[in-house]
Amino acid sequence: MDIQKGKPVSTGMVIGKAFLLESESIRIPANYITDESYAQREIERLRTAMDEVVEELHSFAGKLREKTSAKIAEIFVAHAGMLEDDSFRKELYEGIEKEKYTAEFAVTSAMRRWREIFNENDFLSSRVPDLNDLERRVLRRLLGHESEDLAGLQDEVVLVAGDLTPSQIASIDTGEIKALATDGNGPASHTAVIASAYGIPAVVGLGDITSKVAGGESIVVDGTRGEVIIDPDPETCVRYSNRHRELEESERTLVEEMRELPSETQDGRQVLSLVANIESPNGLAKALQYGAEGVGLYRTEMLFLDSDRMPTTEDHFHAYMRAVKQLDGRPVVMRTLDIRADKLIGTEPELKEQKPFLGLRSLRYCLKTLDVFKPQLRAILRASAFGEVSVMFPLVSGVEELEEAGDVLDGVKSEMDEAGEDYDPNLPVGVMIELPSAAIGADALAEHCDFFSIGTNDLIQYTLAVDRANEDVAGLYSPEHPAVLRLIKMAVEAAEKAGIPVGLCGVMASTPLYTPLLVGLGLDSLSLAPPQSLPRIKKMIRSIKFSDAQQLAARVLEARGPGRARELLMEASESLPEVP
Ligand code: PEP
Ligand code: MG
């Protein structure tokens, strides 16, 4: 039994079989056969190893298709195809015959050559990890190492990985992935955000969990404590199973208890609307079940991340209508495409930008790529004819940029007028406050939009110059930093003055420690993920007096730094009920 500590990013607890998504490659030094007569033997060894890997890949793909995701299964079928390719095999055999390589070195040197070719091509370079994966499998066979990844798919699968890109996460069918444990990824990385939106327990920043797990063994992921236990002993298994049952029971009770109650402070002075963050319409049923009043942030980019072609207006419309129908009159805020930086779209190769977080991302990218932006706006407008739809622009830096986006929206409306297509002419337009410039300029922005939503995940990153996905600086990523809070306050005051609603949709909204503070800062709504946090946050709000919350906010805003701010929040939380 081996207990590993990481950062909890999505609550809940799961015991399952580990499924290792490996990324390390095995290094083989230059190695030659000493006698020509060995060549045939090496070729046979290699042929057998490759045949076995092909079989392994097909059987693996079959299990994945059945248990996890058809999309991921196809990756492994493609890998098998490469190994079955005659010209590829010929190249390897020639390495042995002509260059006198050992089977292992023939594989390594051929793969090196292919990597170089792939790296020269913008599109193929993103496929280099596939070559590494294939190389590792064949070498494992040749070296007699155990294959680890077939074992773990019978029960609940706990995905153990180095780092996951958001598009990998997006393509995973979370129906079978019960929890996530990764070496890297900071607590506000998109991997963490998405895991939490799907409501699967996740612990990130575990350092080298991938080297400790072989695949197939039992593993506990405690996303509440940030703990991972590899090969738990029988006693621990029983303890965790009992805890799992208790947690499920108390969760059910809490949901029942809170469902019909309003999310208002104890003195009835502040009523917050509690809505949900979703990544796709798939997440909606769970959010509604936990009592969400609507959707405060629909991260529409998943349609791009999960696809190998640009979605059309029809693709968008189809997805949005699935959400609108399920919501049945409840509101939904559709955020326009927020990609690049760490959210690369499936059709794009790696970015060449040196500082992608300061580069052509999000709204900036959309304004430069109208053939991507306009079909999405048209689909949002179309959907607005069928429900309570709003549109929201991410990463707005100021009024001129907002106006530019507004002009594009108006252009799409005119095109739709000409085509006789219906839309809501009063479609509310919101602005995400996630750049310091937007918070500082919130008074001007508030004059030009219908609502604000404060995106603290990015606001913290850009205010404190701390990469939200970098675990080395995760300790500096402080939602409670008074500078961040002052920016939130500025946005809230500007919204109040202009008479528009202001919500908050970053991870901070779902963290009970910050609830009294956010109530005191005067937010009108909180958009939460994971859905399980909703009844907890509601219970918290219902236990707070608005005047106390205001006093707390005033004190925290004046704290000398995040350390003191946190102390004040912890002290305040001691007088509040414990939320499970
Ligand atoms: C945010 O930045 O707070 C936010 C909600 O958006 P995302 O996490 O998708 O960047
Ligand atoms: Mg953001």
Side-chain angles (χ1 to χ4, degrees), residues 485-554:
L485 301 180
R486 288 178 190 197
L487 291 177
I488 297 178
K489 183 79 185 147
M490 287 176 92
V492 172
E493 282 175 352
E496 267 171 12
K497 195 155 160 249
I500 60 169
V502 52
L504 192 143
C505 60
V507 171
M508 199 179 173
S510 323
T511 315
L513 181 69
Y514 301 124
T515 310
L517 172 67
L518 298 180
V519 170
L521 284 171
L523 285 145
D524 299 308
S525 67
L526 299 178
S527 195
L528 310 170
Q532 295 90 308
S533 64
L534 209 135
R536 294 181 173 84
I537 299 293
K538 192 189 272 190
K539 185 164 179 160
M540 204 70 175
I541 293 171
R542 292 180 56 80
S543 64
I544 302 167
K545 267 209 205 120
F546 186 49
S547 50
D548 290 348
Q550 279 182 310
Q551 275 174 25
L552 174 68

Side-chain angles (χ1 to χ4, degrees), residues 550-579:
Q550 279 182 310
Q551 275 174 25
L552 174 68
R555 291 176 67 205
V556 180
L557 279 164
E558 293 305 320
R560 67 173 181 278
R564 178 63 191 140
R566 197 167 176 84
E567 274 171 20
L568 290 168
L569 295 175
M570 302 285 265
E571 275 168 27
S573 74
E574 276 161 24
S575 60
L576 294 169
E578 256 208 43
V579 284

Side-chain angles (χ1 to χ4, degrees), residues 190 297 299 335 338 343 434 455-458 468 505-506:
H190 285 284
L297 170 65
R299 287 187 170 96
R335 176 177 73 182
D338 184 35
K343 288 186 269 190
E434 48 184 354
T456 41
N457 301 343
D458 275 314
R468 60 193 265 187
C505 60

Side-chain angles (χ1 to χ4, degrees), residues 188-190 193-194 277 279 297 299 301 335 338 342-343 357 361-362 392 394-395 432-434 453-462 468 477 504-508 527:
S189 68
H190 285 284
V193 167
I194 293 165
N277 293 352
E279 313 294 317
L297 170 65
R299 287 187 170 96
E301 49 274 9
R335 176 177 73 182
D338 184 35
D342 62 341
K343 288 186 269 190
F357 277 104
R361 63 170 292 212
S362 196
M392 176 161 79
L395 213 80
M432 281 196 82
I433 305 291
E434 48 184 354
S453 184
I454 304 175
T456 41
N457 301 343
D458 275 314
L459 185 63
I460 298 163
Q461 152 166 281
Y462 288 117
R468 60 193 265 187
Y477 188 90
L504 192 143
C505 60
V507 171
M508 199 179 173
S527 195

